[in-house]
């Protein structure tokens, strides 16, 4: 049989984006042995791309801000489907998490009196997003990456985890491969934190990178963890639509936060019709649907988007506050955004659903398995507010790292089973042994077309049923894929496995979308346009069922009275 | 649809060759798109690094027609009509496979740098004007293009004695951080070997983030080293005032 190397840690963190790094820092602080694994080089995770900012009620710009208002905004944005406890912890702890980054060397943009500056963003009542121009994610990831290096934590870069191992009902390790050599590696651990990010690569038009193949969701599911709210996938209203090569690339909401205006081809500020109060700074679900409607009804731009314009702002402001947008459009689309409008349209962006976690500890329904960041579900409900992801990573990265370390401390030594390792390795090797079969790229393309057309921003029963049926066919094809070349840094081989995971996750998305016969937040059913009070009482759930999946619902956790009251009375200013 | 010839250097460190592909061109297409097209249609095992496709992550560095560039930022329509596009991996680092090189040396250098260390009793107030110059350094996306072109590494292979422009950028960012209290000048001088840099500015020219590596990071660091180690008056002053920075 294939040989493999073995490493052992108390806590293994899978993922080195914001959530994984913050969890790593905290677990290491607890004095346990930690290792962190990532598919790309350190510092290249999705978090590095985050642009607009991190939401935290620090009240540096608007004194009236306080955690209660941030909590209310988050719940309202999520259409009250959020896990209230997560939303509460998030609102309460994010300011401290941001200040902490500053103490680790991060440099946020400043107010005139030397405090961290905060900008406006959709759905946030006050100016709330701490930021660094439009490269906030870079600042976050560098700061935490330096911290992890300083702690001396081993980072296993360009290593992909494919299977989780269990000892009885507990997680006890993981199998993966080195991307450069294609050799296998086994990690033994008493606790594992999944921080693997999202799912966007199943869609054709997306702001997400090759890493977003939903690995963590897939592995958690297969080891028996429950998923929730998989129908809630955020379509960011503003992605680039032209030229074709950059279609889907994100245009940060900070553009609207800084005063950008949306117009249709008649020059109308169409948000007036859909949300006259908040206009461009409405929530993402609403803005995305409005753009979709404008385009569908023939008021779109030449390339099927609408216009987003900052050219009325002073050119220096645009270049200072939105430097990467300025360059992105200038270099990739020949558009000078200080002079003319951008063309934008919805792009698949963020998974609100994911692995079910306990709010205070990040523990999944499988003992020893934890999750934080985009891979987890619950925090954002039916729709995430901009800036609430970076703060989510920090708050729940910390809590989860701490809880995982405590869990590991209490655990005795665990076993990994040789036959499980062998089965994992064999599954990985199978496509290389085949002498005929479809190419993984071909099936991936079909999957992306299918999800984009049938499980996209506007859904119907008929489309979703069609998608689920087609997914079965693709699953069968994926069982037959053939990979050529060696195991050395072979993206075709990597994709062959990722494909299986993506197909499974896509099915979970489609099935949850079919089940929820209402429209809420990011989930829009053309055949069920109304929001239903009954559906507002439940989360969707997905569980393993033999080789298939079982979709159901579970009652929403009940908010305590003192929080419920916040929604009845206006929050008193600066109650901190 | 028009087509372009793309020649890609493929293989390992020991065994490699250029392969030729015809790739259809779409408007606004970049070299990375062409590489992806080749992967999907001709060479499924073609190794390449990328993440953001928007010049934000610094993964897709390569040498395109001899010029060190980010492939996601290199537009096909910037080349002459009919010009063949030749893609090689970075040459200052050992090749793993195809366009992927082993850049781990950089991560090792980084580990030796004393991280941000706040001054005692720091008041966490900072003004934008004091931060602007440091924020420039923090724009670095670690593409290592500057490391790739610096002759001290590329031609003289001083990997043991020299940190390279990327790390002078990081060091400058730490040294000029308004609230930092650590002293890295001995490191800058002795281990990072700033003296080897003879200010050719090749690094600055290739930086996709337009960081003024030489003018704003290296030269000020060099000046600090000179002040500290070679200027007798400042040295005396420092002894009497007890100021180490
Ligand atoms: C262009 C863009 C802009 C954004 N702007 C903002 C913003 O301004 N504000 C905001 O709040 N949010 C923003 N977001 C969302 C936010 O950036 C992401 O949701 C967040 O960064 C996800 O962080 P994470 O730690 O969960 O995952 P990531 O940062 O994606 O990290 C995932 C990690 O898991 C690793 N991994 C995955 N699978 C495996 C595996 N099988 N084996 C080993 N490792 C694995 C990856 O290599 C990576 O290291 C933006 C997103 C995008 C795409
Ligand atoms: S200026 Fe100095 S660091 Fe930059 S390329 Fe020239 S020698 Fe190297
Ligand atoms: S300084 Fe510029 S060229 Fe060098 S690694 Fe950073 S971004 Fe790249
Ligand atoms: S892919 Fe991120 S810089 Fe090119």
């Amino acid at each position: 049989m294939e040989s493999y190397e073995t490493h052992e840690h108390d806590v293994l963190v899978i993922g080195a984006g914001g959530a994984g790094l913050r969890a790593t820092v905290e677990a290491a602080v607890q004095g346990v042995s930690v290792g962190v694994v990532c598919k790309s080089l350190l510092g290249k995770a999705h978090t590095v791309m985050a642009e607009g900012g991190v939401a935290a009620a620090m009240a540096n710009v608007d004194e009236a801000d306080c955690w209660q208002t941030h909590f209310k905004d988050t719940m309202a944005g999520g259409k009250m489907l959020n896990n209230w406890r997560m939303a509460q912890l998030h609102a309460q702890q994010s300011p401290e998490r941001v200040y902490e980054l500053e103490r680790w060397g991060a440099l946020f943009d400043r107010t005139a009196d030397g405090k961290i500056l905060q900008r406006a963003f959709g759905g946030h009542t006050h100016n709330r997003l701490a930021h660094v121009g439009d490269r906030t994610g870079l600042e976050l990831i560098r700061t935490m990456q330096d911290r992890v290096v300083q702690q001396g934590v081993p980072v296993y870069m360009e290593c992909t985890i494919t299977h989780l191992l269990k000892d009885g009902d507990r997680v006890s390790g993981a199998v993966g491969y080195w991307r450069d050599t294609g050799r296998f590696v086994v990690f033994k651990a008493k606790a594992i934190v999944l921080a693997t990010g999202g799912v966007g690569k199943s869609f054709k038009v997306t702001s997400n990178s090759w890493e977003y193949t939903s690995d963590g969701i897939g592995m958690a599911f297969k080891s028996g963890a429950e998923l929730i709210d998989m129908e809630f996938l955020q379509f960011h209203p503003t992605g680039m639509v032209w030229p074709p090569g950059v279609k889907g690339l994100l245009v940060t909401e900070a553009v609207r936060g800084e005063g950008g205006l949306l117009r249709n081809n008649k020059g109308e500020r169409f948000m007036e019709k859909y949300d006259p109060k908040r206009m461009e700074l409405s929530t993402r679900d609403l803005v995305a649907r409005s753009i979709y409607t404008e385009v569908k009804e023939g008021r779109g731009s030449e390339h099927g988007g609408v216009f987003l314009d900052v050219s009325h702002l002073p050119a220096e402001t645009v270049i200072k506050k939105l430097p990467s947008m300025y360059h992105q459009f200038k270099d990739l689309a020949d558009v000078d955004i200080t002079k003319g409008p951008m063309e934008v349209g919805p792009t698949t962006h963020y998974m609100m659903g994911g692995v079910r976690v306990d709010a205070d500890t990040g523990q999944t329904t499988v003992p020893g398995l934890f999750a934080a960041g985009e891979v987890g579900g619950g925090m954002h409900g039916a729709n995430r507010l901009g800036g609430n992801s970076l703060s989510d990573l920090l708050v729940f990265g910390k809590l989860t790292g701490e809880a995982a370390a405590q869990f590991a401390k209490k655990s005795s030594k665990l076993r990994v089973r040789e036959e499980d390792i062998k089965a994992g390795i064999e599954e990985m090797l199978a496509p290389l042994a085949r002498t005929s079969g479809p190419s993984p790229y071909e099936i991936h393309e079909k999957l992306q077309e299918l999800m984009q057309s049938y499980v996209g921003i506007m859904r119907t029963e008929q489309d979703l049923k069609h998608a689920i049926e087609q997914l079965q066919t693709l699953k069968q094809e994926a069982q037959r894929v053939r990979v050529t070349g060696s195991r050395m840094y072979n993206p075709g081989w990597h994709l062959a496995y990722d494909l299986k995971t993506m197909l499974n996750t896509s099915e979970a998305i489609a099935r949850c979308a079919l089940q929820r016969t209402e429209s809420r937040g990011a989930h829009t059913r053309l055949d069920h346009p109304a929001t239903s009070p009954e559906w507002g009482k439940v989360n969707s759930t997905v569980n393993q069922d033999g080789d298939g999946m079982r979709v159901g619902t579970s009652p929403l956790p009940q908010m305590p009275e003192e929080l419920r009251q916040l929604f009845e009375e206006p929050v008193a200013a600066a109650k901190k | 649809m028009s087509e372009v010839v793309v020649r890609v250097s493929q293989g390992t460190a020991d065994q490699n060759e250029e392969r030729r592909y015809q790739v259809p061109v779409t408007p606004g297409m970049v070299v990375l798109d062409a590489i992806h097209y080749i992967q999907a249609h001709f060479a499924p095992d073609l190794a390449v690094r990328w993440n953001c496709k928007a010049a934000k992550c610094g993964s897709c560095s390569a040498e395109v027609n001899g010029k060190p560039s980010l492939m996601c930022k290199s537009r096909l329509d910037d080349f002459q009509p009919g010009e063949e596009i030749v893609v090689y991996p970075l040459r200052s680092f050992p090749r793993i496979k195809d366009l992927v090189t082993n850049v781990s040396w950089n991560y090792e250098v980084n580990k030796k740098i004393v991280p941000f260390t706040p001054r005692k009793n720091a008041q966490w107030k900072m003004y934008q004007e004091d931060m602007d110059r440091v924020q420039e350094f923090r724009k670095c996306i670690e593409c290592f293009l500057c490391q790739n072109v610096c002759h001290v590494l590329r031609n003289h292979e001083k990997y043991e004695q020299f940190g390279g422009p990327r790390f002078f950028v990081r060091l400058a960012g730490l040294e000029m951080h308004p609230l930092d209290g650590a002293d890295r000048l001995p490191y800058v001088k002795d281990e990072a070997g700033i003296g080897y840099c003879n200010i050719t500015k090749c690094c600055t020219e290739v930086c996709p983030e337009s960081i003024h590596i030489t003018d704003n990071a290296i030269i000020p660091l060099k000046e600090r080293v000179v002040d500290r180690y070679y200027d007798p008056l400042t040295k005396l002053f420092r002894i009497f005032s007890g100021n180490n920075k």
Side-chain angles (χ1 to χ4, degrees), chain A residues 6 9 20 44 69 80 93 121 170 199 209 221 227 237 260 328 335-336 341 367 370 404 411 444 457 496 504 537 549:
Chain A
T6 308
H9 290 288
K44 312 292 184 196
T69 309
M80 303 304 282
Q93 298 184 1
F121 239 59
R170 292 192 39 181
V199 310
S209 84
F221 175 79
L227 311 180
Q328 188 170 310
V335 171
D336 180 347
F370 297 76
S411 306
H444 189 205
I457 183 166
N504 208 51
K537 292 180 189 154
M549 60 180 66

Side-chain angles (χ1 to χ4, degrees), chain B residues 32 49-60 70-73 141:
Chain B
L32 185 62
R49 286 196 182 105
W50 70 282
N51 285 76
C52 67
K53 239 181 137 303
K56 289 194 173 74
C57 73
S59 302
C60 65
L70 295 178
M71 286 186 279
C72 68
K73 222 182 142 181
I141 56 175

